[in-house]
Amino acid sequence: MSKDVIIACDFPTAEQTLAFLDRFTGEKPFVKIGMELFYAAGPDIVRQIKARGHRIFLDLKLHDIPNTVKKAMAVLSGLDVDICNLHAAGGLDMMRAALEGLTRPDGTRPLLIAVTQLTSIDQRRMEQELLIPRPLEDVVMQYAANARAAGLDGVVCSPLEAGRVHERCGADFLTVTPGIRFAEGASGDQQRVTTPARAREIGSDYIVVGRPITGAQDPAAAYRRCAADFTGR
Ligand code: C5P
């Protein structure tokens, strides 16, 4: 699995998203479509971006009873995306059902990765709101191990956790990591950030980058800089 940059296309409309992608000439970045765009523009925006030749991470973070998630994943699998995800907090049976739903009759399927603990949840919230009295990092590692046990391909995690996830779950277990900033950039609402080069050193397989690229004056140049720093090529 080659290392790559995934651009988080957090735009409210299909028009804005396609206009943004028009600015990339000669390259077809891997893009992430999240809830905002999917709920606004529906499955058609996925088909349109796919038809332009981009790989797609559909970031809808499913979390429901196993049967419902299985059927929803079967629908998503028909969209021919490259990566789907769900919440590991849904449990082992939900994750196994999701994999079944995602697998097409010919045996192929998109990669499936799990969100461990959201990066917006800190130790205090986990203990006081969710009543989980354990160190946050232990919970992240346990959820990653559960995802591995269920047969998933990897997790979404902080780039700072990627090395430990690989130690616990194996080098081939994917770590897809948001929270990336250029050294001189603003971190915005992200709490734990690192640079593309540092993410490579720690072991991220894919970095998810939104505002440092979507908010840049020249997004294609920012993307190329990010890709060069991350892949070392
Ligand atoms: O703009 P920025 O680079 O912060 O975008 C990061 C992207 O990764 C956003 O789409 C955000 O929703 C997503 N994400 C995240 N932290 C997680 C899971 C997803 O920032 N734990």
Side-chain angles (χ1 to χ4, degrees):
M1 184 64 62
S2 59
K3 303 212 170 222
D4 212 344
V5 176
I6 301 177
I7 303 179
C9 285
D10 294 323
F11 297 106
T13 66
E15 292 70 30
Q16 278 171 268
T17 308
L18 296 175
F20 170 74
L21 293 176
D22 282 342
R23 300 183 69 175
F24 293 81
T25 48
E27 58 209 337
K28 295 285 180 189
F30 205 137
V31 303
K32 180 172 89 68
I33 297 176
M35 292 181 200
E36 180 186 14
L37 182 59
F38 191 79
Y39 292 155
D44 262 356
I45 186 65
V46 176
R47 295 190 191 98
Q48 286 182 65
I49 294 176
K50 194 75 196 174
R52 288 173 170 226
H54 296 270
R55 285 168 295 156
I56 296 178
F57 167 19
L58 190 54
D59 179 21
L60 299 182
K61 300 187 180 71
L62 275 67
H63 188 175
D64 207 317
I65 59 171
N67 186 56
T68 301
V69 168
K70 178 178 171 177
K71 290 183 171 169
M73 284 294 184
V75 175
L76 298 184
S77 156
L79 289 176
D80 194 26
V81 296
D82 299 275
I83 305 179
C84 291
N85 66 352
L86 46 61
H87 274 282
L92 283 163
D93 284 349
M94 188 200 77
M95 289 194 272
R96 292 192 188 106
L99 266 186
E100 267 182 53
L102 210 51
T103 305
R104 306 183 185 103
D106 65 1
T108 63
R109 64 168 174 82
L111 295 172
L112 182 60
I113 61 178
V115 176
T116 53
Q117 274 290 358
L118 292 171
T119 43
S120 51
I121 298 290
D122 58 13
Q123 186 70 42
R124 185 191 64 77
R125 288 186 176 85
M126 208 182 63
E127 285 178 19
Q128 294 181 9
E129 295 175 20
L130 307 180
L131 300 183
I132 301 174
R134 300 288 291 266
L136 180 59
E137 197 167 305
D138 290 0
V139 175
V140 169
M141 294 307 146
Q142 176 66 29
Y143 284 14
N146 286 351
R148 174 93 188 170
L152 269 63
D153 304 292
V155 287
V156 182
C157 63
S158 157
L160 306 171
E161 291 155 359
R164 278 205 62 203
V165 169
H166 282 306
E167 277 169 28
R168 173 91 184 248
C169 298
D172 60 341
F173 192 67
L174 297 175
T175 51
V176 178
T177 66
I180 301 293
R181 292 293 179 266
F182 292 123
E184 75 284 7
S187 61
D189 55 353
Q190 294 282 15
Q191 300 300 319
R192 301 175 69 213
V193 300
T194 196
T195 61
R198 183 75 189 120
R200 166 168 56 96
E201 286 165 12
I202 303 173
S204 292
D205 296 294
Y206 290 94
I207 52 173
V208 176
V209 187
R211 288 160 291 181
I213 295 175
T214 57
Q217 282 214 325
D218 183 345
Y223 168 75
R224 281 194 295 272
R225 176 181 168 197
C226 218
D229 288 358
F230 181 56
T231 63
R233 291 194 292 269

